[in-house]
Amino acid sequence: MTAAEENSFFADGVHEEILTQLSRLPAIDIISRTSVMRFTNDRPSASEISQMLSATHLVEGSVRRAGNTVRITVQLIDSSSDKHLWAETYDRELADVFAVQTDVAVRVATALDVAFSPTYLSQFDDTGTDSLEAYDLYLRARRISNYNPVERLAQQVDLLRDALEIDPNYAAAWQLLAKAESWPSHMGIDVNGDHLRKAEEALHQARRLAPDSTDTMAAEAAVLYWGCLLYTSDAADDSVLV
């Protein structure tokens, strides 16, 4: 919730990061972000949403950004009774927003009586960055779909390169860059394989920084399917990529 429409991506990023962190806890099933975004403007009641999505609990909140500060309000609702189980408001400097995201995820899971263990807690992802500027660039890049025109794809790559210039150890940016650089091969416009080589370089960095991350695995899948498949599709035999 902000007067500047161009900052809406920031709230989207906070939403998705909290959802991603919670989805890594095996005791909680998370409804996808795509399924819930339709309720952003036209909000049915908690019980109606629960029935539509077969959800026992709802997490709702808002993000207000002003200058270098952010206010994040989050509440956990029992959808069957419409009762608030937990609520919290965070007023933080933007530099602390990453810690807030993880804190919200942990507290929501605790409110759901999830049995935590060191193994579960270790699943909270560590592919982010401490740089707010790099994070902003990453969020802007993530809003650009691979299915956009080539010009938009180039913009996505530039944003990610700028983010990695700031923080070369930003694993999430390397993961997304590997996907972005694979797409031209799939479109048939990577004649010399330059983009595929850059995709493989980005994947190498993602593996180095976050070898066990599911997003690194997804990036590898993109490189194999979007990138390498094009160069093996004309093969005489039905070889399998491994």
Side-chain angles (χ1 to χ4, degrees):
M1 300 174 64
T2 172
E5 181 64 26
E6 64 271 16
N7 283 335
S8 64
F9 76 92
F10 183 81
D12 292 342
V14 172
H15 177 192
E16 188 161 333
E17 288 299 324
I18 291 174
L19 184 150
T20 299
Q21 297 288 9
L22 283 175
S23 68
R24 287 184 165 85
L25 298 175
I28 302 178
D29 292 326
I30 304 296
I31 305 298
S32 71
R33 172 176 165 79
T34 304
S35 296
V36 303
M37 284 306 295
R38 57 186 162 132
F39 301 122
T40 300
N41 298 317
D42 184 16
R43 260 294 299 273
S45 67
S47 60
E48 289 173 328
I49 294 176
S50 172
Q51 291 175 3
M52 293 177 188
L53 300 179
S54 298
T56 59
H57 296 78
L58 306 178
V59 178
E60 68 173 12
S62 63
V63 178
R64 294 174 175 85
R65 180 178 176 179
N68 291 321
T69 62
V70 61
R71 168 170 287 189
I72 302 177
T73 302
V74 187
Q75 50 192 358
L76 176 65
I77 302 171
D78 183 328
S79 56
S80 61
S81 64
D82 204 16
K83 290 183 178 179
H84 288 67
L85 303 179
W86 166 79
E88 188 67 71
T89 297
Y90 300 87
D91 289 304
R92 301 288 181 88
E93 294 296 317
L94 283 175
D96 297 329
V97 70
F98 311 107
V100 172
Q101 291 168 355
T102 300
D103 184 41
V104 168
V106 172
R107 293 193 62 181
V108 170
T110 302
L112 285 169
D113 294 327
V114 174
F116 278 95
S117 72
T119 301
Y120 288 0
L121 289 173
S122 69
Q123 295 187 42
F124 282 102
D125 200 9
D126 189 24
T127 60
T129 178
D130 292 329
S131 168
L132 183 65
E133 185 179 357
Y135 183 60
D136 273 1
L137 291 165
Y138 169 76
L139 289 180
R140 293 181 188 277
R142 192 168 61 180
R143 295 192 79 178
I144 300 175
S145 167
N146 292 109
Y147 304 101
N148 276 290
V150 176
E151 295 77 14
R152 292 284 285 161
L153 181 63
Q155 182 184 6
Q156 183 185 46
V157 169
D158 288 343
L159 288 167
L160 291 169
R161 294 285 183 189
D162 289 344
L164 290 166
E165 186 72 23
I166 298 169
D167 184 357
N169 293 319
Y170 194 174
W174 285 115
Q175 292 162 349
L176 186 55
L177 182 62
K179 294 179 181 180
E181 291 284 19
S182 299
W183 190 246
S185 295
H186 187 69
M187 296 174 66
I189 58 174
D190 187 18
V191 179
N192 298 318
D194 292 338
H195 287 282
L196 181 57
R197 282 188 287 274
K198 292 176 181 177
E200 291 172 339
E201 291 170 4
L203 178 60
H204 172 73
Q205 294 297 331
R207 284 171 171 164
R208 177 180 65 85
L209 294 165
D212 298 324
S213 169
T214 54
D215 289 323
T216 296
M217 298 178 196
E220 182 174 4
V223 173
L224 288 173
Y225 181 69
W226 289 344
C228 298
L229 187 63
L230 178 69
Y231 293 97
T232 60
S233 60
D234 295 330
D237 60 336
D238 294 327
S239 56
V240 178
L241 291 171
V242 295

